[in-house]
């Protein structure tokens, strides 16, 4: 699997990662996915290794089997760290104002927005435990400098920089100046899971 020369993620790689991730979230074997989708295990194995070139019809079969839309199979929503530096920012005119697009995510679900204030502390920075699968943090630095991201892929940011990184792996926030103020949005796509649903009274619908 590889990225294109211009830095964009190869579409087959993106589909491979998403199919594999959705399948594991549903505790589904290759054989079970083959049964639900009507595709062969060999075809599915190739797709998950980024070696297949699935058609729209194949993606539709996978989406139906995994209970997601085709667009979700073609949308990046939780793996690579994405950084937008202040010096690289592009501002666009929208009526009487200027706008800078930081990032966009797809699908409804949980969204939390907050202002983060940190002060330089002595000792080893605290490790934040993984959140639910699919969680993304979107952080824009207002003042100060911060080091943040997954433990094995942290980035240093200054005022005006933006980063999006997965919150479903261990991560941390390290204050590199006396104080840091940042705006952070946390998103968690709403993905319906297979299996029975238990109601408030403890019963299973249809049982």
């Amino acid at each position: 699997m590889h990225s294109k020369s211009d830095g964009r993620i190869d579409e087959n790689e993106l589909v491979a990662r998403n199919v594999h991730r959705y399948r594991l979230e549903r505790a589904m074997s290759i054989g079970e996915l083959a049964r639900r989708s009507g595709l062969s295990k060999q075809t599915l194995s190739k797709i998950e290794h980024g070696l297949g070139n699935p058609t729209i019809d194949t993606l539709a079969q996978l989406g139906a089997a995994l209970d997601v839309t085709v667009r979700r199979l073609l949308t990046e929503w939780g793996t690579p760290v994405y950084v937008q530096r202040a010096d690289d920012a592009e501002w666009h005119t929208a009526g009487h104002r200027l706008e800078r697009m930081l990032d966009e995510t797809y699908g409804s679900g949980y969204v939390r927005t907050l202002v983060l204030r940190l002060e330089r502390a002595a000792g080893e920075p605290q490790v934040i435990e993984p959140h639910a699968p699919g969680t993304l943090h979107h952080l824009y630095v207002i003042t100060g400098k911060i080091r943040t991201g997954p433990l094995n892929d942290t980035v240093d940011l200054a005022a005006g920089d933006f980063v999006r990184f997965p919150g479903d792996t261990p991560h941390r926030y390290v204050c590199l100046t006396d104080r840091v103020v940042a705006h952070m949005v946390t998103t968690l796509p709403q993905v319906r899971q297979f299996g029975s649903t238990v109601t408030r009274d403890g019963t299973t619908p249809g049982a």
Side-chain angles (χ1 to χ4, degrees):
M1 295 187 291
H2 59 279
S3 297
K4 296 181 180 179
S5 57
D6 61 2
R8 292 179 296 160
I9 298 297
D10 182 88
E11 191 171 89
N12 286 342
E13 179 184 353
L14 181 58
V15 170
R17 182 161 57 245
N18 282 339
V19 169
H20 183 70
R21 182 168 188 164
Y22 282 125
R23 181 173 68 79
L24 292 186
E25 282 186 353
R26 287 150 177 73
M28 193 185 301
S29 67
I30 284 279
E32 177 63 13
L33 181 56
R35 186 186 70 79
R36 290 177 180 269
S37 66
L39 301 170
S40 70
K41 290 192 287 186
Q42 182 180 13
T43 296
L44 293 174
S45 180
K46 287 183 177 179
I47 290 174
E48 287 201 7
H49 284 86
L51 302 176
N53 189 21
T55 64
I56 291 297
D57 287 342
T58 298
L59 292 177
Q61 288 175 263
L62 282 170
L66 293 167
D67 198 26
V68 298
T69 63
V70 171
R71 188 174 72 172
R72 279 193 177 274
L73 296 178
L74 296 169
T75 300
E76 185 62 76
W77 64 278
T79 304
V81 173
Y82 164 70
V83 178
Q84 184 187 111
R85 300 292 181 185
D87 292 341
D88 298 328
E90 295 183 1
W91 293 84
H92 301 279
T93 301
H96 298 289
R97 65 182 186 274
L98 291 176
E99 293 184 348
R100 172 185 170 185
M101 175 65 72
L102 298 177
D103 194 19
E104 57 185 5
T105 56
Y106 299 90
S108 60
Y110 171 86
V111 178
R112 182 178 67 169
T113 181
L114 58 85
V115 175
L116 185 67
R117 298 177 64 182
L118 297 173
E119 293 188 358
R120 193 194 298 269
E124 185 70 15
Q126 179 184 5
V127 174
I128 309 299
E129 293 302 312
H131 303 304
T135 298
L136 292 173
H137 291 314
H138 315 251
L139 187 140
Y140 176 81
V141 182
I142 300 172
T143 61
K145 294 182 179 181
I146 188 173
R147 177 174 298 145
T148 191
L151 299 186
N152 62 348
D153 197 14
T154 58
V155 292
D156 291 354
L157 306 168
D161 291 343
F162 169 82
V163 65
R164 179 199 68 215
F165 64 89
D168 54 5
T169 60
H171 52 283
R172 63 172 34 137
Y173 306 99
V174 182
C175 190
L176 301 178
T177 50
D178 289 340
R179 294 179 183 82
V180 169
V181 177
H183 176 230
M184 187 169 75
V185 175
T186 298
T187 60
L188 176 59
Q190 186 176 22
V191 181
R192 189 170 62 207
Q193 302 293 312
F194 284 106
S196 13
T197 301
V198 179
T199 61
R200 288 179 181 271
D201 60 6
T203 61
T204 301

